[in-house]
Amino acid sequence: MATAAAEKRKPVFIKVEELKPGTNGHNLTVKILDSKPVPVPKPRRAPMSLSQRPQRPSRINECLVGDETGCIVFTARNEQADMMKPGATVILRNAKIDMFKGSMRLAVDKWGRVEVAEPANVAVKENNNLSLVEYELVTVQA
Protein backbone atom coordinates (compact mmCIF):
# COMPACT_ATOMS: atom_id res chain seq x y z
CA MET A 1 0.00 0.00 0.00
CA ALA A 2 2.88 2.38 0.74
CA THR A 3 4.33 1.86 -2.75
CA ALA A 4 1.08 2.93 -4.42
CA ALA A 5 1.05 6.19 -2.47
CA ALA A 6 4.73 6.82 -3.22
CA GLU A 7 4.28 6.55 -7.00
CA LYS A 8 4.30 9.93 -8.67
CA ARG A 9 1.56 10.87 -11.08
CA LYS A 10 2.37 12.28 -14.49
CA PRO A 11 1.65 16.02 -14.61
CA VAL A 12 -1.34 17.04 -16.70
CA PHE A 13 -0.59 20.19 -18.68
CA ILE A 14 -3.45 22.53 -19.53
CA LYS A 15 -3.85 25.56 -21.78
CA VAL A 16 -4.33 29.17 -20.61
CA GLU A 17 -7.95 29.35 -21.82
CA GLU A 18 -8.88 26.51 -19.41
CA LEU A 19 -7.97 28.57 -16.29
CA LYS A 20 -10.87 29.51 -13.99
CA PRO A 21 -11.03 31.80 -10.91
CA GLY A 22 -10.17 30.25 -7.54
CA THR A 23 -8.51 27.13 -8.93
CA ASN A 24 -5.07 25.72 -8.23
CA GLY A 25 -2.72 22.85 -9.09
CA HIS A 26 -2.24 23.91 -12.71
CA ASN A 27 0.72 22.86 -14.88
CA LEU A 28 1.34 25.08 -17.90
CA THR A 29 4.00 25.72 -20.51
CA VAL A 30 3.90 29.42 -21.43
CA LYS A 31 5.90 31.99 -23.33
CA ILE A 32 6.77 35.29 -21.65
CA LEU A 33 5.60 38.31 -23.63
CA ASP A 34 6.41 41.12 -21.21
CA SER A 35 7.89 41.57 -17.73
CA LYS A 36 7.64 44.73 -15.61
CA PRO A 37 8.86 45.23 -12.04
CA VAL A 38 6.24 46.40 -9.54
CA PRO A 39 7.37 48.93 -6.93
CA VAL A 40 6.93 47.44 -3.45
CA PRO A 41 6.34 49.89 -0.60
CA LYS A 42 8.96 49.70 2.12
CA PRO A 43 7.65 48.26 5.40
CA ARG A 44 7.56 50.54 8.39
CA ARG A 45 10.43 50.09 10.78
CA ALA A 46 9.35 48.51 14.04
CA PRO A 47 11.58 48.17 17.06
CA MET A 48 13.72 45.08 16.44
CA SER A 49 14.12 42.34 18.95
CA LEU A 50 16.96 39.86 18.94
CA SER A 51 14.70 37.09 17.64
CA GLN A 52 13.84 39.04 14.49
CA ARG A 53 16.18 38.94 11.56
CA PRO A 54 16.16 41.63 8.95
CA GLN A 55 13.94 40.74 6.03
CA ARG A 56 15.18 41.01 2.49
CA PRO A 57 13.09 43.33 0.36
CA SER A 58 10.72 41.36 -1.85
CA ARG A 59 10.79 41.80 -5.61
CA ILE A 60 7.65 41.42 -7.66
CA ASN A 61 7.35 41.35 -11.45
CA GLU A 62 4.10 41.31 -13.37
CA CYS A 63 4.62 39.28 -16.52
CA LEU A 64 2.27 38.77 -19.41
CA VAL A 65 2.52 35.07 -20.30
CA GLY A 66 0.55 32.98 -22.73
CA ASP A 67 0.21 30.16 -25.23
CA GLU A 68 -1.67 29.57 -28.46
CA THR A 69 -5.07 29.78 -26.65
CA GLY A 70 -4.68 33.02 -24.68
CA CYS A 71 -2.63 35.03 -22.20
CA ILE A 72 -2.76 36.01 -18.52
CA VAL A 73 -0.76 38.11 -16.05
CA PHE A 74 1.70 36.05 -13.99
CA THR A 75 2.95 37.46 -10.67
CA ALA A 76 6.61 36.49 -10.26
CA ARG A 77 8.16 36.87 -6.81
CA ASN A 78 11.82 37.12 -5.79
CA GLU A 79 13.89 34.39 -7.56
CA GLN A 80 11.08 33.78 -10.04
CA ALA A 81 11.49 37.35 -11.32
CA ASP A 82 15.04 36.56 -12.51
CA MET A 83 13.74 33.87 -14.88
CA MET A 84 11.10 36.08 -16.48
CA LYS A 85 12.86 37.33 -19.61
CA PRO A 86 10.60 38.35 -22.52
CA GLY A 87 10.69 35.74 -25.28
CA ALA A 88 11.66 32.89 -22.94
CA THR A 89 9.53 29.80 -22.40
CA VAL A 90 8.84 28.59 -18.86
CA ILE A 91 7.07 25.65 -17.27
CA LEU A 92 4.81 26.57 -14.34
CA ARG A 93 4.08 23.67 -12.00
CA ASN A 94 1.37 23.72 -9.33
CA ALA A 95 0.31 27.24 -10.28
CA LYS A 96 -2.77 28.85 -8.78
CA ILE A 97 -5.18 31.59 -9.73
CA ASP A 98 -5.21 34.61 -7.41
CA MET A 99 -7.92 37.24 -7.71
CA PHE A 100 -6.65 40.83 -7.66
CA LYS A 101 -9.17 43.68 -7.94
CA GLY A 102 -11.65 41.34 -9.60
CA SER A 103 -9.27 39.97 -12.25
CA MET A 104 -7.34 36.70 -12.48
CA ARG A 105 -3.60 36.52 -11.87
CA LEU A 106 -1.50 33.41 -12.21
CA ALA A 107 1.00 32.75 -9.39
CA VAL A 108 3.33 30.02 -8.16
CA ASP A 109 3.82 29.84 -4.39
CA LYS A 110 6.33 27.89 -2.31
CA TRP A 111 4.62 24.58 -3.17
CA GLY A 112 5.02 25.13 -6.91
CA ARG A 113 7.92 25.44 -9.32
CA VAL A 114 9.03 27.68 -12.17
CA GLU A 115 11.45 26.10 -14.67
CA VAL A 116 13.01 27.58 -17.78
CA ALA A 117 12.21 25.36 -20.76
CA GLU A 118 13.53 25.01 -24.30
CA PRO A 119 12.44 27.97 -26.43
CA ALA A 120 9.17 27.10 -28.14
CA ASN A 121 7.99 28.57 -31.41
CA VAL A 122 4.48 29.41 -30.21
CA ALA A 123 2.25 32.13 -31.64
CA VAL A 124 0.65 33.58 -28.50
CA LYS A 125 -2.99 34.59 -28.82
CA GLU A 126 -2.77 38.08 -27.29
CA ASN A 127 -6.37 39.09 -28.02
CA ASN A 128 -7.66 36.57 -25.42
CA ASN A 129 -6.23 38.12 -22.22
CA LEU A 130 -7.93 36.42 -19.25
CA SER A 131 -6.63 39.09 -16.84
CA LEU A 132 -8.77 41.73 -18.55
CA VAL A 133 -11.98 39.87 -17.69
CA GLU A 134 -13.46 41.31 -14.48
CA TYR A 135 -15.20 38.92 -12.10
CA GLU A 136 -17.65 39.74 -9.34
CA LEU A 137 -18.43 37.58 -6.31
CA VAL A 138 -22.16 36.90 -6.15
CA THR A 139 -23.85 35.30 -3.14
CA VAL A 140 -26.88 33.15 -3.88
CA GLN A 141 -29.75 33.05 -1.39
CA ALA A 142 -30.95 29.49 -0.73
Side-chain angles (χ1 to χ4, degrees), residues 60-118:
I60 298 176
N61 277 23
E62 283 192 347
C63 313
L64 187 63
V65 300
D67 60 15
E68 61 274 1
T69 64
C71 57
I72 190 166
V73 173
F74 174 70
T75 306
R77 299 181 181 275
N78 300 328
E79 294 83 29
Q80 297 171 355
D82 299 333
M83 296 183 234
M84 298 296 146
K85 305 279 185 247
T89 303
V90 293
I91 297 173
L92 306 176
R93 296 187 188 269
N94 202 17
K96 63 179 182 171
I97 298 292
D98 287 333
M99 298 304 289
F100 178 73
K101 295 184 179 177
S103 66
M104 291 196 302
R105 302 289 169 100
L106 193 62
V108 174
D109 58 9
K110 67 180 180 178
W111 304 110
R113 219 170 155 180
V114 178
E115 303 168 351
V116 177
E118 293 293 320

Side-chain angles (χ1 to χ4, degrees), residues 3-4 13 24 28 36 42 46 68 81 89 104 108 130 138 140 142:
T3 58
F13 285 86
N24 58 13
L28 299 108
K36 293 181 181 146
K42 294 188 178 187
E68 61 274 1
T89 303
M104 291 196 302
V108 174
L130 298 182
V138 179
V140 178

